[in-house]
Amino acid sequence: MCRRAVVHHAHNSDGQPQRGASHDRQQFCTDIMEARSAGSVSKFMLERKSLGGVSAMMIRRQIMWAASVCAIVLCMQVSIQSVGAEPVLASSLGSCKPVPVLKGAPLHCCLPEPKRAPIRFKFPRIPRTSSGRPILRERKPAHVLSKDPEYVRKYNLAYERMKALPDTDPRSFYSQWRVHCSFCNEAFQQRKTPGPLGPETGVLLQVHYSWTFLPWHRMYLYYHERILASLINDPTFALPFWNWDNQLDKDAAKMPAMFFPDFGVPNAALFDEFRNSNHFPPKILYLGYNSKLEAEGQQNLTDQQIKYENLCVMYNQVTTKVSARDFLGGPYVVGTDNSAATVNVSAGEVPGESGGMESVHNVAHEWTGLINDPDHPDNEDMGNFIFAARDPIFYTHHSNVDRLWDVWKTLPDKITKSGHRKRMDYNSRDFLDSEFTFFDENQDMVIVKVRDSLNSAKLGVKYTDVSESDNLWINYEPMPAQESSKTCNASDYPKPSPHGDNYIGTDPVSFKLDRRAPTNKDCQEKGLSNVDELQENVVLEKVKIPHADYARFDMFINYPAAHRQSHLYMAEYVGTFTHLPSGMVDMSNSVSETSSESEKYRIVTIRYSVNAALKRLGITDYNTDIVVTIVSKGKRNSSPKSGFEFSDLKQDFQ
Ligand code: C2O
């Protein structure tokens, strides 16, 4: 059965053999069989069989066609998270505070002033073929481009020239990484009125931990790529994408070869000295990765097991997340400082809330940077948002993140009870009118809104179709639930304390979660017409995380025996939250200029999407309470006693 699936995969719609040896696929099938000691192997294989490149492509086209036809109808029922607040407005002008790091003096990530008055964003003019088809820049997989010396030569040259520009030039590599360092580490303040010179609110800016994560990084890449292209006078130049979610092609999930020495063509501008050599090829990125377990020598999985867990993590972080909030993250509105522990929830402020995509993206950061190196407590480069963009690999990583946002929007629902909710971005004004500035290839400061970022094609960008490997996690199904999980008795476990003093310690913790049925009100608040379209969530409220710490919480339902080495391909696993150090205040030595107790922590909401897991566990009603187990895989420097405090554990609907 496995063999037939392989043959089917190896041909595209024209009946031509596709790139990538069928040997890889065959090996992968064998690997998977070995990885699973028991369970639904045959089901897994059946699924793979129905996922040929042909049908996958057609399905995606049909979905896109249906999307445009139904646009008007569907916009009536979008998941509108109407926060009734004002959009976040920000620019790189005005006050800019130094960013504290653990080792060394605070960094100035401030950006140069523009030479001319800032301009408004305009969509690029997109060239067309003689038959009128748009010619888009095609971002291709890095493992494929690593076999294209001509591309790597060009790519390297572009970075060489970018690195040769003076630091005062906003297009320089130095300025480019400072864009990330400043917007992602609370260097700037939010503004009161649109435009880069509006009065400042005094509230610090942070584009992670919310719905601005994907749009902001998309526009960052957009300008970064255009600058590279202009430096080599090649308007067709496109960034590669590091296809780390791809478990099918042998090299896809490794750090791409083009970033390493001995490449054959000059590529030194793509190197970075601050990468974890333990994870160099042939190691593949492990999305279940935990630096602490690795340091303890307890993370010894085979490649087959890693691939299998990776599929399950992707499934739980992308496929099962249907609502905008689950995938993109929570609202971020003016006046909210999601960088501090001072979020006033009763005054309507919303704590930081990463979406599923952001959490899984953090793993690649952690894995690539120098975590576990005592000489590098800042986990530079990739393992810390302050330094991450100093590694050229950063931009290929984000290119894949950006691609996955596009893929997410094309996925059929199949998760909520209705099974046919459309996945869409938020459409509230406070999301769409969020505003930032970037520098373009002409050194002009451009004012960009989130609404400008939502359609890749309008930005002149497309991604190579890798649906064959995407489909492995899109249509993935974890192993069947264990009988004991189906009959697990929730009343044997404590409810979270109503006084808010709950802890996630070094050992896994389990709680009973009371469930209720959704009401029409839940539905109306989201702009949906039917309760069956709702996404059911388990939410950890007001989790207190030190800025300087790495944290990871994996959640399991009805499996209180879960522990740090439980396999993530189990039916009971429902997803992962990860936090990377950023905007840090030195925890060991509170001399930092701004450090008050509350400023050392970030308060976040963590949302897990459980519809699919409940179904696997045979829980189809809303009367059955569940046991929620949180397995903490951080924090790096924690003493066994200390843990992460959180206020409550709740069911929610989106
Ligand atoms: Cu702003 Cu991958 O981070």
Side-chain angles (χ1 to χ4, degrees):
M1 194 177 281
C2 188
R3 223 188 138 72
R4 253 183 286 139
V6 170
V7 173
H8 191 51
H9 273 156
H11 295 79
N12 65 17
S13 52
D14 310 319
Q16 297 298 313
Q18 288 189 329
R19 94 184 131 68
S22 64
H23 172 76
D24 289 357
R25 285 130 175 85
Q26 198 167 344
Q27 188 58 44
F28 183 61
C29 283
T30 322
D31 290 351
I32 288 297
M33 304 250 273
E34 281 170 13
R36 304 186 61 145
S37 48
S40 59
V41 171
S42 56
K43 189 170 182 202
F44 178 76
M45 287 311 157
L46 269 174
E47 234 169 55
R48 301 293 87 87
K49 202 173 142 192
S50 63
L51 290 173
V54 183
S55 54
M57 223 145 63
M58 275 173 57
I59 290 167
R60 205 175 275 184
R61 267 192 216 127
Q62 282 166 2
I63 293 164
M64 284 164 83
W65 177 82
S68 41
V69 172
C70 305
I72 298 167
V73 180
L74 284 161
C75 74
M76 307 301 290
Q77 41 158 257
V78 191
S79 163
I80 310 162
Q81 191 65 33
S82 184
V83 174
E86 294 297 315
V88 164
L89 309 163
S91 85
S92 60
L93 287 174
S95 57
C96 174
K97 120 179 156 28
V99 175
V101 290
L102 289 181
K103 190 170 174 177
L107 290 182
H108 283 266
C109 296
C110 313
L111 294 165
E113 298 220 347
K115 298 207 180 77
R116 294 174 283 273
I119 54 176
R120 291 243 157 238
F121 172 83
K122 276 206 209 102
F123 284 105
R125 204 162 340 117
I126 296 173
R128 298 197 170 256
T129 61
S130 50
S131 60
R133 275 199 335 168
I135 305 172
L136 305 177
R137 289 171 199 272
E138 182 173 345
R139 296 186 186 157
K140 298 179 182 166
H143 65 282
V144 175
L145 288 174
S146 284
K147 297 188 186 114
D148 178 351
E150 197 39 44
Y151 176 84
V152 177
R153 201 191 50 76
K154 228 167 47 176
Y155 184 41
N156 179 65
L157 181 65
Y159 272 118
E160 213 171 80
R161 293 188 175 160
M162 186 179 252
K163 288 180 172 180
L165 292 171
D167 292 351
T168 49
D169 188 320
R171 301 167 305 163
S172 67
F173 192 69
Y174 185 68
S175 295
Q176 289 292 299
W177 79 257
R178 285 188 300 174
V179 170
H180 192 261
C181 173
S182 55
F183 278 87
C184 303
N185 293 282
E186 296 97 14
F188 303 127
Q189 293 184 13
Q190 301 173 357
R191 291 176 183 276
K192 287 185 181 145
T193 56
L197 285 168
E200 289 164 341
T201 56
V203 177
L204 297 175
L205 176 80
Q206 166 59 266
V207 299
H208 293 122
Y209 313 104
S210 75
W211 66 19
T212 48
F213 170 74
L214 287 168
W216 185 87
H217 287 83
R218 172 168 288 177
M219 296 314 289
Y220 178 34
L221 282 194
Y222 171 79
Y223 286 110
H224 185 75
E225 181 175 68
R226 293 176 74 88
I227 294 168
L228 289 169
S230 78
L231 291 171
I232 51 170
N233 295 316
D234 179 355
T236 66
F237 174 81
L239 286 166
F241 64 88
W242 176 15
N243 195 187
W244 44 258
D245 58 296
N246 176 345
Q247 310 303 318
L248 198 55
D249 295 299
K250 190 163 63 63
D251 295 326
K254 296 174 189 164
M255 286 189 212
M258 59 168 75
F259 293 100
F260 292 97
D262 303 324
F263 191 78
V265 294
N267 67 335
L270 306 176
F271 301 168
D272 184 65
E273 61 178 304
F274 303 112
R275 289 180 193 143
N276 191 338
S277 57
N278 293 328
H279 297 159
F280 284 178
K283 292 274 174 63
I284 55 172
L285 170 58
Y286 173 35
L287 297 176
Y289 174 64
N290 181 255
S291 51
K292 196 165 187 219
L293 276 180
E294 184 180 62
E296 294 164 1
Q298 292 186 56
Q299 193 160 255
N300 305 309
L301 284 86
T302 63
D303 274 7
Q304 296 94 306
Q305 286 172 319
I306 290 177
K307 286 180 180 190
Y308 202 51
E309 290 202 9
N310 285 352
L311 292 178
C312 200
V313 173
M314 285 302 292
Y315 171 77
N316 277 292
Q317 296 299 113
V318 180
T319 313
T320 68
K321 302 206 176 270
V322 181
S323 86
R325 187 161 188 161
D326 281 77
F327 181 75
L328 283 97
Y332 181 41
V333 294
V334 76
T336 294
D337 183 355
N338 68 8
S339 66
T342 48
V343 178
N344 186 349
V345 179
S346 41
E349 292 185 19
V350 196
E353 180 183 322
S354 303
M357 192 62 241
E358 186 180 341
S359 260
V360 71
H361 124 282
N362 284 345
V363 185
H365 275 281
E366 185 205 10
W367 191 78
T368 309
L370 285 177
I371 208 153
N372 287 337
D373 182 339
D375 292 335
H376 295 276
D378 286 300
N379 306 354
E380 63 267 37
D381 279 329
M382 278 284 276
N384 182 320
F385 292 141
I386 296 168
F387 297 105
R390 204 167 60 170
D391 185 343
I393 217 171
F394 171 95
Y395 306 90
T396 54
H397 168 42
H398 269 277
S399 178
N400 195 42
V401 171
D402 191 69
R403 181 186 74 83
L404 290 166
W405 181 15
D406 280 353
V407 171
W408 174 78
K409 281 193 242 188
T410 68
L411 301 184
D413 172 355
K414 290 190 192 163
I415 297 295
T416 69
K417 283 204 165 135
S418 80
H420 50 70
R421 175 167 167 184
K422 174 93 175 83
R423 300 180 194 234
M424 297 181 86
D425 297 320
Y426 291 92
N427 72 350
S428 58
R429 197 186 69 82
D430 39 6
F431 173 70
L432 298 172
D433 285 340
S434 302
E435 186 182 286
F436 309 101
T437 59
F438 292 94
F439 281 96
D440 70 6
E441 63 277 20
N442 305 312
Q443 305 188 53
D444 277 316
M445 176 182 267
V446 190
I447 305 161
V448 177
K449 288 185 184 294
V450 162
R451 65 170 74 249
D452 303 325
S453 73
L454 304 178
N455 184 331
S456 293
K458 281 173 93 175
L459 296 172
V461 171
K462 71 168 176 185
Y463 290 95
T464 301
D465 183 328
V466 288
S467 49
E468 197 186 350
S469 62
D470 292 343
N471 282 331
L472 287 183
W473 54 260
I474 291 170
N475 299 294
Y476 179 82
E477 271 189 40
M479 292 170 68
Q482 306 170 87
E483 278 315 304
S484 56
S485 311
K486 292 184 184 167
T487 54
C488 186
N489 187 357
S491 3
D492 293 345
Y493 296 87
K495 287 192 196 184
S497 149
H499 309 296
D501 48 345
N502 296 291
Y503 287 90
I504 303 166
T506 317
D507 294 327
V509 277
S510 297
F511 297 96
K512 172 188 182 203
L513 177 71
D514 293 335
R515 289 171 69 241
R516 65 167 175 91
T519 62
N520 282 336
K521 189 161 164 270
D522 292 311
C523 211
Q524 283 151 11
E525 281 166 357
K526 316 292 176 311
L528 299 172
S529 53
N530 186 330
V531 287
D532 286 347
E533 286 178 292
L534 285 164
Q535 175 123 54
E536 185 168 344
N537 297 140
V538 174
V539 177
L540 285 168
E541 288 192 327
K542 291 209 219 165
V543 188
K544 203 170 160 187
I545 299 182
H547 285 178
D549 261 324
Y550 173 76
R552 177 176 182 132
F553 308 132
D554 292 340
M555 186 177 278
F556 293 79
I557 301 288
N558 281 6
Y559 185 55
H563 55 88
R564 292 195 300 166
Q565 277 146 311
S566 295
H567 282 301
L568 301 183
Y569 48 69
M570 299 182 64
E572 295 80 2
Y573 164 74
V574 290
T576 290
F577 164 84
T578 50
H579 173 263
L580 279 194
S582 67
M584 301 201 303
V585 174
D586 188 335
M587 302 293 293
S588 56
N589 155 18
S590 335
V591 293
S592 169
E593 73 278 24
T594 57
S595 65
S596 73
E597 212 20 58
S598 71
E599 282 174 319
K600 294 178 188 171
Y601 295 94
R602 187 186 306 287
I603 297 289
V604 296
T605 303
I606 306 179
R607 185 176 298 276
Y608 296 87
S609 318
V610 298
N611 300 59
L614 292 172
K615 204 155 126 194
R616 290 195 293 276
L617 290 163
I619 301 174
T620 50
D621 63 359
Y622 289 103
N623 303 322
T624 310
D625 296 334
I626 54 176
V627 184
V628 171
T629 300
I630 308 152
V631 180
S632 169
K633 291 181 175 168
K635 45 192 183 172
R636 262 187 315 161
N637 306 314
S638 61
S639 68
K641 265 205 318 211
S642 65
F644 298 88
E645 193 183 315
F646 68 99
S647 72
D648 208 353
L649 176 76
K650 280 193 177 149
Q651 180 203 31
D652 188 37
F653 294 99
Q654 282 301 318

